[in-house]
Amino acid sequence: SIFEKALKLAACEAHEAIQVGDSLHSDIQGANNSGITSVWVQHQQPLDAELGINPSHTVLTPTEIPALIRDIHGK
């Protein structure tokens, strides 16, 4: 998958990466399938539970991402 190729290019393991995206189907599911922590930028849309795709984290705006990353890494 594109996610596995990106991990190889970055020379990192899945547990070291974070995927941020606004598409549950493309961005979040792909990251989840690859074992990458996923952050869904929700953009005020409700989580479509019928898709069965659950992001690791959800933010409403990209400005929330730096604080979330600090929280994830405990800094």
Side-chain angles (χ1 to χ4, degrees):
S1 81
I2 189 87
F3 294 93
E4 291 167 8
K5 184 172 183 169
L7 290 171
K8 285 182 183 179
L9 289 171
C12 70
E13 300 291 325
H15 71 275
E16 299 172 302
I18 297 174
Q19 165 66 22
V20 177
D22 61 358
S23 169
L24 284 172
H25 183 264
S26 299
D27 303 324
I28 304 307
Q29 187 64 54
N32 290 350
N33 289 345
S34 298
I36 298 171
T37 298
S38 58
V39 178
W40 181 42
V41 181
Q42 190 177 15
H43 293 299
Q44 303 294 336
Q45 301 167 3
L47 179 60
D48 188 353
E50 292 184 24
L51 288 176
I53 300 171
N54 298 306
S56 305
H57 305 276
T58 301
V59 297
L60 294 178
T61 67
T63 59
E64 297 175 65
I65 295 168
L68 176 63
I69 291 171
R70 285 190 297 274
D71 288 346
I72 290 170
H73 290 289
K75 294 181 180 182

